[in-house]
Amino acid sequence: MARLVIVSNRVSVPTGRRVEAGGLTVVLRDGLRRADGLWFGWSGEFAEKPGPAKVTSRGRMSYALLDLNQSDYKGFYYGFANGSLWPLFHYRLGLVDWKADSYRAYRKVNAQFAAELFALLKPGDHVWVHDYQLIPLGEELRKLGFKGAIGFYLHVPFPSGDIVEVLPAHAELGQALLAYDLIGLQTDRSHHDLLDFLERWCGAERDGDTLIHGGHRIATGVYRAAIDTAGFAKEAAASCQTTEVRNLEESLGGRTLMLGVERLDYTKGLPLRFAAYEHLLAHYEEWLHNVVMLQIAPVSRGELAQYRALRSDLERATGRIAGRFASPDWNPIRYVNQPVPRKVLAGFLRVAQVGLVTPLRDGMNLVAKEYVAAQDPADPGVLVLSRFAGAVEELGEGALLVNPLDIEHTALAMRNALAMSKDERIDRWRRCIEPLQAWTARTWYDAFVHKLDEVAKAKGELPHAA
Ligand code: ADP
């Protein structure tokens, strides 16, 4: 069996006692263990002149961690990846902060990743590159002479070509994508847009879901990011016995809980969600004193001005809502900036009668899936879901769908969710849980790795052009 090498910007090396990571990190790690694999990425440390990657073994798998120069990292990560690509891929053209120097740092760090990784690669390895921070990595490995199969998976949306074109470097990034053997996307919509972009803007030919460019074939497909549905359900049920979850329930005093959980990010639609909640309280008086909205949103990317501005907007909105509606014995809104341990989070999701997932744009949104998985099948809550989250392709039948820009309609959806009969809740939940039981994180991982094996075999039969 070929060795699998995973590359991502951050690598989470298990620290022993505490299980700190969740979701896809754990799935990747478990999969790599089965394949005696290697995980390569940034160590989280800076060095003036970074040396080769440091390799450590944990059981059957190894981690190779690379230090980066701080100023390069700033340009790479904050400047280009999160200052340009993140807003662009989430359809926020007005927030794109293009700087040629940042793009150069992005290319430089990718070339450095490739050079240090190449030194560790063996013929026959399969490489799986993750996410928008590392688009040029495959092309850089090819330049160094690596001939093995390289796959790329995008964890964010891929927008329409008209949007990608705004980026001065769009053609170079298109060429970089065409250096891969396999490209995986989260949704049908992103898949369609990627094929269209690479065909119409970058000169690739199409043969079904395969692209052909310079004699090289690039397979593409949809691999929906998923969760360990049964495992999360079990965790959520067990979590209800923890002190944290009991304390939360007790503190509600019988009131209904609406819950939102995400990183503090402008794609998540939080100011509009708060506005919709304010509208609910102002227009559906039966819920005054009877509902609490808990928003858990740990700070992320606080170095960027847009993220700091969002934080102050939400602090103001929280104060306004409390000032307008709170009474001595009831505060309608709780806004928490601290991260919550995964296990506790699972229990919080279970006790919330309404789960609010209303991003302006999201590649998938795993919280939406976790909310569904966490519910008590005999008395489930209701998911209010943005039509702009990738998860809508699986959960659209059972969730209450909203356009987060439409505050009045979102408020109405909140009210309908709060007032929904048990029969309808069960019916909707069943329609949500079925696709999540059929397609799990393990299925996702296996499907991508299997396809990468398949394209590697095909490369063996046909001489590779690169
Ligand atoms: P994104 O990748 O944009 O952050 P997702 O919803 O796809 O959004 O994935 C977020 C993951 O991080 C989920 O597994 C979720 O449980 C976890 N997470 C999000 N917010 C918190 C939080 N406040 N505390 C703990 N875990 C969180």
Side-chain angles (χ1 to χ4, degrees), residues 261-263 268 296 298 339-340 342 345 362 365-367 370:
V261 178
E262 41 260 299
R263 284 182 304 106
K268 303 291 183 186
I296 300 176
V340 173
R342 211 174 152 65
L345 189 68
D362 216 325
N365 199 297
L366 293 177
V367 173
E370 289 166 352

Side-chain angles (χ1 to χ4, degrees), residues 22-24 86 90 131 155-156 186 225 227 232 260-265 267-268 295-301 336-343 345-346 349 357 361-370:
L24 292 181
W86 178 267
H90 288 88
D131 227 358
H155 292 258
V156 296
Q186 306 236 38
I227 60 166
F232 199 82
V261 178
E262 41 260 299
R263 284 182 304 106
L264 197 55
D265 194 293
T267 60
K268 303 291 183 186
Q295 177 64 55
I296 300 176
V299 177
S300 83
R301 302 176 196 164
V336 177
N337 271 156
Q338 306 303 319
V340 173
R342 211 174 152 65
K343 189 165 184 238
L345 189 68
L349 289 168
V357 179
R361 189 68 61 171
D362 216 325
M364 175 53 69
N365 199 297
L366 293 177
V367 173
K369 295 187 170 185
E370 289 166 352

Side-chain angles (χ1 to χ4, degrees), residues 63-82:
Y63 295 88
L65 302 178
L66 183 68
D67 297 344
L68 290 173
N69 173 281
Q70 189 160 12
S71 138
D72 290 345
Y73 184 78
K74 241 176 119 181
F76 152 76
Y77 185 77
Y78 291 110
F80 187 69
N82 289 309

Side-chain angles (χ1 to χ4, degrees), residues 12-230:
S12 136
V13 184
T15 49
R17 284 182 305 119
R18 216 165 57 95
V19 181
E20 78 296 353
L24 292 181
T25 307
V26 171
V27 177
L28 292 173
R29 196 190 286 157
D30 288 350
L32 274 182
R33 277 197 196 117
R34 284 183 270 135
D36 287 332
L38 172 70
W39 194 335
F40 182 97
W42 179 45
S43 61
E45 304 290 328
F46 296 116
E48 189 56 40
K49 287 207 169 84
K54 293 180 201 89
V55 183
T56 52
S57 290
R58 289 277 197 287
R60 287 177 62 182
M61 66 173 289
S62 310
Y63 295 88
L65 302 178
L66 183 68
D67 297 344
L68 290 173
N69 173 281
Q70 189 160 12
S71 138
D72 290 345
Y73 184 78
K74 241 176 119 181
F76 152 76
Y77 185 77
Y78 291 110
F80 187 69
N82 289 309
S84 283
L85 283 183
W86 178 267
L88 187 87
F89 281 8
H90 288 88
Y91 291 73
R92 300 295 292 275
L93 289 183
L95 298 180
V96 173
D97 183 20
W98 163 264
K99 289 200 177 69
D101 278 349
S102 298
Y103 178 61
R104 279 190 280 273
Y106 177 78
R107 297 295 309 210
K108 183 177 170 191
V109 168
N110 270 272
Q112 188 187 344
F113 260 60
E116 298 307 333
L117 174 60
F118 185 68
L120 301 172
L121 289 179
K122 298 185 265 194
D125 282 348
H126 296 174
V127 180
W128 183 3
V129 179
H130 285 261
D131 227 358
Y132 64 102
Q133 300 94 349
L134 300 176
I135 292 173
L137 185 59
E139 186 182 37
E140 296 294 340
L141 284 174
R142 291 278 179 250
K143 283 188 204 159
L144 295 166
F146 182 67
K147 297 272 194 292
I150 316 180
F152 176 75
Y153 187 78
L154 188 65
H155 292 258
V156 296
F158 193 89
S160 105
D162 293 316
I163 292 196
V164 183
E165 187 184 14
V166 167
L167 204 68
H170 70 275
E172 286 177 33
L173 290 179
Q175 294 308 310
L177 285 166
L178 289 166
Y180 287 101
D181 299 302
L182 169 63
I183 303 175
L185 285 309
Q186 306 236 38
T187 58
D188 294 332
R189 193 169 181 160
S190 287
H191 184 217
H192 168 274
D193 286 335
L194 174 97
L195 287 170
D196 186 55
F197 170 68
L198 292 176
E199 187 182 14
R200 289 176 45 209
W201 274 268
C202 304
E205 274 174 61
R206 259 187 84 170
D207 175 13
D209 284 346
T210 299
L211 293 159
I212 303 160
H213 188 254
H216 171 52
R217 294 176 75 81
I218 304 107
T220 69
V222 178
Y223 300 85
R224 302 180 196 287
I227 60 166
D228 169 13
T229 310

